[in-house]
Amino acid sequence: MIDRTGVLPNQPLFYVLASLRFQRWLSLPHKIAELQDALRERFPLINQIHYGDRSQESSTRMPSSEPAAWAFHTADRSMGCQIMHEQIVVHTTRYTRFTEFAETFRFVLEAIQPHMKHFDVGAIGIRYLDRIAPRQGENLSDYLPAEYLPKPLQTAEFSVESGLSQTVYRTKTGMLQARFWAGRQYVSVPDDLVPLFVLTQEFGPAGPALPPLEMGHGVLDSDSIWTSLIPVRIDVDEAVAKLSALHSHSNEFFRTVCAEKAFAVWRGEA
């Protein structure tokens, strides 16, 4: 039996993010200077994010001059946090252990808490993206169950170009949504994460590149989330504890769903 536990030397994980969603914080723009002072020890880079006005009420309305979000990053952009009026996101392209990631999540919340006073929370989540890249002579079926993979037809008239599967599981903490996509019609990062992910990349003359997946490669996206219909006032310790529980479900999913051959490859034993 291949060991499925511990850090994988050849891990497929390439992007992780954790989020905390709360009741709208209207005074946020007036706190940014102080928040920058508290965060710059780890995140010296700062960017203002403007999404423009997406209202359908008027096509002539000009974008707001106030940023929609503020992004803080390490000097190499491999880790950062983004603060919005209703959400805090911590994300990284350099992940080894959850304990280290959770410590950064705590650092960000502890920097914000004195200014925000209370976290009235509606949702907490953690999301993992793993790039599944079979080696020459291997197939995706060597790494994942058949029900996650694009389904070929038993006829030469059709050949599989790409595919997407989605399954939602109930857990003891909340819900886990698992998605897998493969094929040249997709890129590694889903559309909803592109605005965040590109901030971790080097910008060339044409902007950051998001190359398509190679044929026969895919991405496993596991999103573990706790939600509450009524906002719950929680402190930093409770937020980190909930994140830890959500991580446990994501970790158990990954260690269960991927094939033994996959772990042999990722451990460098095959």
Side-chain angles (χ1 to χ4, degrees), residues 15 20 50 69 101 136 170 172 178 194 199 230:
Y15 193 45
L20 182 144
H50 293 265
F101 183 71
Q136 187 173 3
R170 185 176 297 280
K172 293 179 180 179
V194 167
L199 295 174
I230 301 173

Side-chain angles (χ1 to χ4, degrees), residues 69-130:
W70 289 262
F72 302 84
H73 288 89
T74 54
D76 64 359
R77 293 190 172 274
S78 64
M79 177 170 281
C81 68
Q82 187 160 298
I83 305 173
M84 292 155 276
H85 287 86
E86 297 176 339
Q87 188 177 30
I88 299 164
V89 178
V90 177
H91 61 128
T92 185
T93 57
R94 189 183 62 208
Y95 179 102
T96 304
R97 296 182 183 275
F98 173 74
T99 52
E100 298 170 359
F101 183 71
E103 194 278 328
T104 301
F105 185 72
R106 175 184 291 276
F107 168 78
V108 172
L109 295 190
E110 288 181 342
I112 294 171
Q113 194 276 328
H115 305 280
M116 193 173 179
K117 306 301 182 186
H118 306 293
F119 293 115
D120 294 312
V121 180
I124 298 176
I126 189 164
R127 192 167 175 180
Y128 292 91
L129 268 62
D130 292 275

